[in-house]
């Protein structure tokens, strides 16, 4: 298989920024799926990865209990 063919089949989204069960910090205030406010700086755990890492389902336990679906650019490693 040529280099060009191998490169053509590589999926850049196949390597998500955060793995499942990673602890992340939210960079801006968001709301849980139940509309509870989650302040910027809150830590949560990645429970699902969507679109190869374009978005993540994050579970928060403090200061509020709930889940959010967040884009990768709203998160950083905690």
């Amino acid at each position: 298989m040529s280099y060009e063919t191998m490169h053509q089949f590589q999926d850049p989204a196949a390597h998500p920024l955060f793995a499942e069960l990673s602890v992340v910090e939210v960079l801006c205030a968001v709301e849980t799926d139940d509309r509870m406010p989650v302040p910027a700086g809150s830590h949560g755990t990645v429970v699902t990865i969507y679109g190869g890492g374009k978005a993540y389902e994050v579970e928060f336990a403090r200061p509020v209990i709930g889940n959010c679906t967040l884009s990768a650019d709203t998160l950083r490693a905690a």
Side-chain angles (χ1 to χ4, degrees), residues 46-72:
V46 173
V47 293
T48 308
I49 302 168
Y50 298 111
K54 292 180 182 177
Y56 298 86
E57 182 81 15
V58 179
E59 181 180 83
F60 293 94
R62 281 180 272 190
V64 64
I65 297 174
N67 289 11
C68 300
T69 302
L70 303 168
S71 62

Side-chain angles (χ1 to χ4, degrees), residues 9-75:
F9 288 107
Q10 285 185 331
D11 181 5
H15 302 287
L17 187 57
F18 307 107
E20 284 188 8
L21 304 181
S22 295
V23 177
V24 293
E25 179 180 342
V26 67
L27 299 174
C28 57
V30 296
E31 289 185 344
T32 68
D33 295 341
D34 297 328
R35 301 223 180 259
M36 298 294 295
V38 178
S42 298
H43 290 182
T45 303
V46 173
V47 293
T48 308
I49 302 168
Y50 298 111
K54 292 180 182 177
Y56 298 86
E57 182 81 15
V58 179
E59 181 180 83
F60 293 94
R62 281 180 272 190
V64 64
I65 297 174
N67 289 11
C68 300
T69 302
L70 303 168
S71 62
D73 61 351
T74 62
L75 301 170

